[in-house]
Amino acid sequence: MSKSKVKPNEPARGWLARWDAIPLYVRILVALVIGALTGLLLGERALVFEIPSKVILQLLGALAPPLILVAVTHVLMTTEVSGRMAGRLAVLLLLNTTVAIVIGMVVANVIRPGEWSELKKPATAADKGETKTASPAELLVQNVPKSLLGPLGDKQNIIGVIIIAVAFGVALRGVRTKAIGNVQDLVETAYQLLLTVLHWIIQLVPIGVFAIVAKVVGTEGFGPFKAMGAFIISVLIALALQATWYLVRIRLFSWVRPLELLRGMRDALAMAFSTDSSTATMPVTYRCLTQNVGLREKSASMGALVGANFNNDGTALYEAMAALFIGQLIGHDLSFVQQLTIVLTSIIASVGAAGIPEAGLVTMTLVFNAVGLPLEYIALLLTVDWFLDRCRTTINVLGDVNVSCLLDGRTRAAAGSGTSDGR
């Protein structure tokens, strides 16, 4: 009976093994290309792909908070995190964010992209009298857990409870006989359990990437790039300068070498760009830092998990540049004091920006209000934000990597003494 079960599964295991052997970033890039082609072919009909992309992103977002909780708990239990490290973390986060905003404002003042563009404020759905009602598929998406504990407190979300129960019930089968001798064993078992579920979801990421890109290209196209080309180029230049700042500091103040770092972080950076979510990428970032780069668990946790919740340098840079761009576009020149206000407000807004797609557009209202810019012009940015948000999300993740490497210091940990695969 056991033989009859093994044979039918052998081809599946072989196919899955070959698929899993392909680097994640390669699968993501292939999905990007196929998704773009599909979007061009289907046009508005590609909107159907919005549902699977939302489901996968919600699942990844739901897994990130408990992973942070368990990983940081394990670090605090097994290592000594001094107040000095916490202080260093705060200084690094503030420094990186301030540098990002200054770079963005300098580039915006030099290139002045708003003076190159002639755009009219687009009509909103309210102007057109359009209303949107949730479809049955969207109602189903709403039942997919956005957090692991959320459905447990919602009597109406039975589907979410079932999804959580099935996922962790199957994952627990692999550790059901493991003895739990103390609290540390319990935490480590929970950590391995979360990594198992994470691995399953990561296998779906290329499918989610295909769906996201097909939907965006099909409904938005590439036309907006022509109208806001100068702004796009300016933002990309500023983000490239910020990335250079990260890599130079990593080279000077840590044992990690930039090229080796970029090779080791390919999965996380490609996932950040394609999923447009630093929260969804956070578990992959942590895995790459510990397993591929070789950082200590403490450094990876403090920088990529704890620091990531306050580190949104790409978002801060973009919000400052967007304010200057709109000011230039409508002929509202901002004074030095107003630009200083943008710096301070962008720092505050970036801390409040969650690591999910389009969150920066919400916190951008703080920046615009602070200097008296009309909020309705934020709608202009939506035409290209689906692309620029991916770029700044990638920089956000690279900023987390930067902090982790600097916290790890100039000396590499001995083999098996500090990485997640050394236990």
Side-chain angles (χ1 to χ4, degrees):
M1 185 172 180
S2 61
K3 292 182 179 180
S4 63
K5 289 184 177 180
V6 172
K7 289 183 178 179
N9 289 337
E10 286 179 353
R13 286 203 305 268
W15 182 85
L16 289 174
R18 288 193 297 272
W19 170 254
D20 195 43
I22 301 174
L24 180 61
Y25 76 95
V26 174
R27 286 178 274 169
I28 288 175
L29 292 176
V30 171
L32 277 169
V33 174
I34 298 177
L37 293 175
T38 303
L40 290 174
L41 291 174
L42 296 182
E44 292 290 337
R45 290 175 294 175
L47 189 63
V48 68
F49 292 114
E50 184 176 21
I51 301 302
S53 65
K54 283 184 176 180
V55 169
I56 294 172
L57 283 178
Q58 282 184 200
L59 290 174
L60 283 168
L63 197 61
L67 180 62
I68 295 172
L69 173 65
V70 175
V72 175
T73 298
H74 182 264
V75 168
L76 293 176
M77 287 177 58
T78 58
T79 60
E80 182 178 348
V81 181
S82 63
R84 182 180 179 183
M85 172 170 277
R88 286 187 63 201
L89 176 64
V91 170
L92 288 173
L93 295 177
L94 181 60
L95 176 63
N96 282 346
T97 302
T98 303
V99 169
I101 296 171
V102 171
I103 287 176
M105 297 189 68
V106 169
V107 172
N109 278 294
V110 171
I111 298 180
R112 302 190 67 82
E115 297 179 356
W116 295 27
S117 306
E118 293 182 3
L119 296 172
K120 296 181 180 179
K121 186 181 73 170
T124 63
D127 297 332
K128 299 176 182 178
E130 297 177 356
T131 58
K132 183 178 180 180
T133 58
S135 66
E138 289 172 331
L139 291 175
L140 178 61
V141 172
Q142 292 173 8
N143 285 286
V144 174
K146 296 180 181 179
S147 69
L148 290 186
L149 298 180
L152 303 182
D154 187 354
K155 296 180 180 179
Q156 298 180 346
N157 193 0
I158 302 301
I159 296 176
V161 176
I162 294 174
I163 292 174
I164 294 173
V166 170
F168 285 93
V170 175
L172 280 169
R173 290 178 62 86
V175 293
R176 58 185 173 180
T177 59
K178 182 176 181 179
I180 304 296
N182 50 47
V183 175
Q184 183 173 334
D185 290 342
L186 178 62
V187 173
E188 290 183 350
T189 300
Y191 181 62
Q192 293 300 322
L193 178 66
L194 288 170
L195 289 182
T196 299
V197 178
L198 170 64
H199 178 74
W200 296 341
I201 300 176
I202 286 178
Q203 300 307 310
L204 301 176
V205 165
I207 299 174
V209 170
F210 162 79
I212 293 171
V213 175
K215 179 259 180 181
V216 169
V217 173
T219 56
E220 300 290 338
F222 298 101
F225 283 87
K226 298 179 181 178
M228 299 185 67
F231 178 62
I232 294 171
I233 293 173
S234 299
V235 173
L236 294 180
I237 290 174
L239 291 176
L241 291 174
Q242 182 69 11
T244 302
W245 159 266
Y246 290 147
L247 296 177
V248 169
R249 283 179 57 78
I250 288 172
R251 178 64 180 84
L252 295 178
F253 301 107
S254 79
W255 63 266
V256 184
R257 293 299 172 258
L259 290 180
E260 295 177 3
L261 175 72
L262 293 177
R263 281 194 292 268
M265 297 304 302
R266 287 179 298 190
D267 287 352
L269 296 177
M271 184 173 174
F273 180 83
S274 56
T275 63
D276 191 19
S277 173
S278 56
T279 294
T281 307
M282 197 182 298
V284 181
T285 303
Y286 177 75
R287 187 196 68 186
C288 289
L289 283 172
T290 54
Q291 296 184 5
N292 297 351
V293 180
L295 296 189
R296 299 169 178 85
E297 280 189 355
K298 180 168 72 172
S299 304
S301 296
M302 293 296 289
L305 299 181
V306 179
N309 292 278
F310 307 96
N311 184 35
N312 295 286
D313 302 336
T315 301
L317 179 152
Y318 177 77
E319 290 176 349
M321 293 192 71
L324 287 178
F325 169 71
I326 296 299
Q328 295 164 3
L329 186 67
I330 64 178
H332 182 79
D333 289 330
L334 300 174
S335 65
F336 175 78
V337 174
Q338 287 177 311
Q339 294 195 29
L340 182 60
T341 302
I342 289 177
V343 172
L344 299 176
T345 310
S346 296
I347 293 175
I348 298 172
S350 68
V351 172
I356 57 176
E358 312 299 344
L361 291 173
V362 178
T363 57
M364 195 181 296
T365 58
L366 294 175
V367 180
F368 275 50
N369 279 325
V371 292
L373 291 174
L375 297 182
E376 57 265 27
Y377 280 90
I378 293 179
L380 281 175
L381 304 172
L382 289 173
T383 59
V384 295
D385 193 72
W386 68 270
F387 170 71
L388 292 178
D389 196 16
R390 283 164 166 74
C391 297
R392 65 180 185 261
T393 297
T394 305
I395 294 300
N396 286 343
V397 172
L398 189 58
D400 303 337
V401 172
N402 165 266
V403 171
S404 295
C405 290
L406 295 181
L407 288 176
D408 211 55
R410 290 189 170 92
T411 305
R412 184 169 190 166
S417 64
T419 57
S420 62
D421 55 350
R423 294 192 302 269

